[in-house]
Amino acid sequence: MRIARLKTAQGPRTVRVEGTTFVPIGDPFAAFEAGVIPADEGDAITGVLLAPCVPTVVVGIAQNGPDHASPVQAWLKSPRTVTASGAPVRLRRDAGVTVAEAEVAVVIGRDTTGLTVETAHEYVLGITAVNDLSSPDRAAFDPRNFESKSGQGYTPLGPWIDSALSIDDDLPMRLSDDGEVRAETSSNRLPMSLRECLAYVAGWTTLGPGDVVMMGAPFSQAPVRPGETVEVVVAGLRLTTPTS
């Protein structure tokens, strides 16, 4: 199932996506906890896509390739930086170069207490795409990533969650800028598997429904300038970010 959120005249609604049709559904996280498929709640509706979930916690995995000294390290990004596919983002002018990164985002379906490498799939609602925008020049002043990752709208997420995709799939990733392909890779090039990363994070902190783990950018980053449109495609999930 493809799960999205829409901005409507009646407020945000959770929907399932069928082609170009949006059908309201019940709470997908409650349904996931109960082991059922969320039921339809009315006829098709229209609206503007929002980010597909509202995370309380956004975790980034710092693993951009096998040359890293440590195979995995996690850091936190403010959930207030999350924005929707298609939403314009103004790049900071005071932080050096802005870099876009195409990444797999795992959306947690339930409390991760008890999550292990072997059971990680039992806690995952689905996969979505994320563009981890950052200002890496700030790392010289702030090695903890707060400044480089905190730009307004610097976590475009979406356009929806695909619950049919698995953390065991080799998920292809492509980063384009104004239609020019800048990077192509896949999740199999990550030094640690998605399962191992989830177990690492869950071993230190408890995640909950709607939280997001960004799985790192294995050779899938490129600089972006104001006025360019960035497109991230993860396993067919197409996330677009116009910049200014």
Side-chain angles (χ1 to χ4, degrees), residues 9-226:
Q10 292 73 41
R13 297 292 303 274
T14 302
V15 298
R16 62 177 175 86
V17 182
E18 293 289 345
T20 58
T21 301
F22 302 115
V23 180
I25 59 173
D27 182 350
F29 298 102
F32 182 84
E33 179 69 27
V36 299
I37 296 173
D40 290 354
E41 292 188 342
D43 298 328
I45 59 175
T46 60
V48 177
L49 281 171
L50 299 168
C53 57
V54 184
T56 299
V57 178
V58 177
V59 180
I61 299 294
Q63 50 172 24
N64 293 343
D67 295 333
H68 276 221
S70 175
V72 63
Q73 181 182 22
W75 45 272
L76 297 176
K77 193 169 188 179
S78 170
R80 290 185 178 273
T81 64
V82 171
T83 193
S85 180
V89 174
R90 179 171 174 79
L91 305 182
R92 294 191 68 106
R93 272 39 172 201
D94 60 350
V97 173
T98 302
V99 170
E101 296 180 313
E103 300 189 26
V104 172
V106 173
V107 180
I108 301 299
R110 62 187 179 97
D111 183 297
T112 58
T113 301
L115 185 153
T116 66
V117 171
E118 293 75 22
T119 64
H121 62 285
E122 299 175 6
Y123 298 80
V124 174
L125 178 66
I127 302 293
T128 191
V130 65
N131 178 3
D132 180 19
L133 291 167
S134 60
S135 306
D137 291 346
R138 298 305 299 172
F141 307 93
D142 179 17
R144 301 291 186 241
N145 277 338
F146 169 72
E147 293 181 10
S148 67
K149 300 290 186 177
S150 293
Q152 184 67 34
Y154 269 34
T155 314
L157 191 71
W160 42 71
I161 301 162
D162 192 334
S163 65
L165 294 175
S166 167
I167 57 173
D168 295 320
D169 293 339
D170 184 18
L171 302 166
M173 290 174 271
R174 184 175 73 240
L175 177 69
S176 300
D177 190 354
D178 277 351
E180 178 185 351
V181 175
R182 305 293 298 277
E184 287 189 279
T185 186
S186 77
S187 58
N188 271 6
R189 297 188 72 186
L190 292 166
M192 291 180 68
S193 70
L194 305 192
R195 286 180 174 273
E196 291 172 307
C197 290
L198 290 173
Y200 167 73
V201 173
W204 285 99
T205 191
T206 301
L207 302 177
D211 287 342
V212 169
V213 182
M214 306 186 302
M215 287 296 178
F219 317 106
S220 60
Q221 63 275 343
V224 58
R225 295 185 295 269

